[in-house]
Amino acid sequence: MRTSALLAALIITAGTVAAAPASAATTFPACQHFYTGTIPDRPVTGGHGPGTLVPPVNVSGRLPAPSGVSGGVSGSTVTFTFKRVAGAVAYRAFRNGQALQWISDWGQPTLTVTDNSPCQNANYQLYAMSDASGSEPSIGQVSTSYRVGSDGKLAAWALPKGTVLNYRVTSYNDSGQTALGYNAGPGFCAVDARNIPWGTRFTVPGYGNCYAADIGSWIKDDIVDVWLPGSQANDWGIQRLNLVVS
């Protein structure tokens, strides 16, 4: 996780279509950003990209994402089940990019996730692991996001392709695993997972293709952090750009 970004509001460019947030049957508190410290307001400085556009990230060789997700509001909690993934020994569930639950696979036909502190329009996501170490090669593909709808049930949710987001874009060059678990590198970007679920693909002018797979303390609201090596991260600066969901 990094500290590079700005406190701002999510902006969707006029004239584009975005998925309407699900309206939960039970009114939960608003989802808060995980970082409660002060986030500095940094102005747009401009900058330049690497020159060669980053190609799409390929995660197809990993374990498939869990499927068969079903459930919703139960009293003051959100509970849902999902199907086993062949070759998996454990799973992790996330709410807005924050670890929610670890689930061990002992051969049970379905597995259960419970959120005792749900928030409004939370993005729930899952992945399977081929071993319990949490090592980068063990991390499977992340599922689509699921949100509680007006009927109180969980349903798949995603930003529609073609959605345009007018964001400030910063850059980082950290090594190691992202918050999702994949190794940081070209094409992996940090987002506010309340607004852009992990696994979302979008293009960034002057950079190329982004795959949402990380978060950061200062990555809040209308901030995206793209990965660039070494001094290229500094050269990028802070740019306001129209991102297009692909």
Side-chain angles (χ1 to χ4, degrees), residues 68-85:
V69 175
S70 178
V73 177
S74 177
S76 60
T77 66
V78 171
T79 302
F80 58 95
T81 59
F82 61 94
K83 295 180 181 179
R84 298 181 64 209
V85 173

Side-chain angles (χ1 to χ4, degrees), residues 28-29 31 72-80 93-96 98-101 112-125 146 148 154:
F28 297 126
C31 292
V73 177
S74 177
S76 60
T77 66
V78 171
T79 302
F80 58 95
F94 296 85
R95 185 211 309 121
N96 295 332
Q98 295 293 292
L100 177 63
Q101 191 171 329
T112 302
V113 177
T114 301
D115 181 7
N116 292 314
S117 302
C119 57
Q120 197 76 9
N121 297 322
N123 291 312
Y124 294 101
Q125 296 186 264
Y146 293 88
V148 175
L154 217 60

